[in-house]
Amino acid sequence: MSDDHTPAEDVNEIADAAIDHIEALTAENKGLKEQVLRYAAEAENTRRRAEREANDARAYAIQKFGKDLLAAADNMGRALAAAPADSADTVVKNFVVGVEMTAKSLQAAFETNGLKKIEPEKGVKFDPHQHQAMMEQPSTEVGAGGVIQVLQPGYELLGRLIRPAMVVVAAKGSTGPSAAAAEAAGAPVNPYAANDASHDAAHDGDAVDTKA
């Protein structure tokens, strides 16, 4: 012990050194905790990303498979539309019933796997997120901007559109029941042509591409 140091000063030096050591350990501990939390967050992000990519891969596989079957569903629908409604031939009746059952089974399989048909009823407002207007026509039964006819049903998979419904839409100036209500509410009578100042009756029947 140096003659220049008192016992109290030595104790203070030891205490200061201990405090410095504790503070260093505390800072190191804090840094390690932050590192552990960062690694944990990165691991969780990696897990979520891998799960999302796996789900997307499964959804894509189902989507591709579903798209491949849409043509079969369309053909069955056309066959049923062309089938005789009151044929006296038992063979024909049984054949039609068989096609109907097959079409229903196919639609049930679609819905089970999250593939839902989009087939708007007559008069339903045109929705550019689900419908594609193939043409517009004046109508006395449907208000402007409403669906007159479905040319081909659309489909969505787990909320994701894979094919819009192809529809015929009531043109601007149509006098269907919903037209007056839409005008009274101040809503555009034609949701996809309200801002088209050049649109007039001369273009009724033209194809209108409103695919989402």
Side-chain angles (χ1 to χ4, degrees):
M1 179 183 299
S2 173
D3 293 338
D4 295 334
H5 288 79
T6 65
E9 290 175 338
D10 291 338
V11 170
N12 289 337
E13 288 181 358
I14 294 174
D16 290 340
I19 291 173
D20 291 341
H21 185 62
I22 292 173
E23 289 177 349
L25 291 176
T26 301
E28 183 179 359
N29 184 52
K30 182 180 179 181
L32 290 173
K33 283 184 177 180
E34 291 177 350
Q35 189 175 20
V36 169
L37 291 175
R38 185 167 58 253
Y39 287 159
E42 290 177 356
E44 179 64 15
N45 290 335
T46 300
R47 184 191 67 79
R48 290 180 179 179
R49 184 165 55 250
E51 183 178 353
R52 184 170 59 251
E53 290 174 352
N55 290 336
D56 289 345
R58 285 193 293 268
Y60 175 77
I62 296 173
Q63 177 176 323
K64 185 177 184 304
F65 180 67
K67 279 186 174 180
D68 291 341
L69 289 179
L70 293 187
D74 293 339
N75 288 333
M76 285 188 181
R78 296 187 189 98
L80 289 174
D86 53 357
S87 175
D89 192 329
T90 303
V91 175
V92 173
K93 284 184 177 181
N94 291 338
F95 177 78
V96 172
V97 170
V99 174
E100 288 177 346
M101 293 178 64
T102 303
K104 288 180 180 179
S105 297
L106 183 59
Q107 289 299 323
F110 282 172
E111 293 182 4
T112 299
N113 290 279
L115 189 62
K116 296 179 61 177
K117 181 187 283 189
I118 303 173
E119 194 167 17
E121 295 181 357
K122 186 175 183 178
V124 169
K125 184 179 179 181
F126 176 82
D127 182 355
H129 300 293
Q130 290 191 323
H131 310 152
Q132 181 179 0
M134 304 307 294
M135 65 181 68
E136 56 177 12
Q137 297 175 351
S139 174
T140 57
E141 299 180 352
V142 176
V147 174
I148 298 176
Q149 179 186 359
V150 177
L151 302 178
Q152 184 182 70
Y155 286 88
E156 63 179 10
L157 176 63
L158 302 175
R160 179 185 299 176
L161 184 71
I162 62 173
R163 191 179 80 179
M166 298 181 181
V167 299
V168 179
V169 182
K172 183 178 181 179
S174 294
T175 57
S178 63
E183 290 175 354
V189 295
N190 193 331
Y192 56 86
N195 296 323
D196 186 0
S198 64
H199 179 83
D200 55 33
H203 296 286
D204 289 344
D206 291 348
V208 180
D209 188 2
T210 55
K211 185 175 181 181

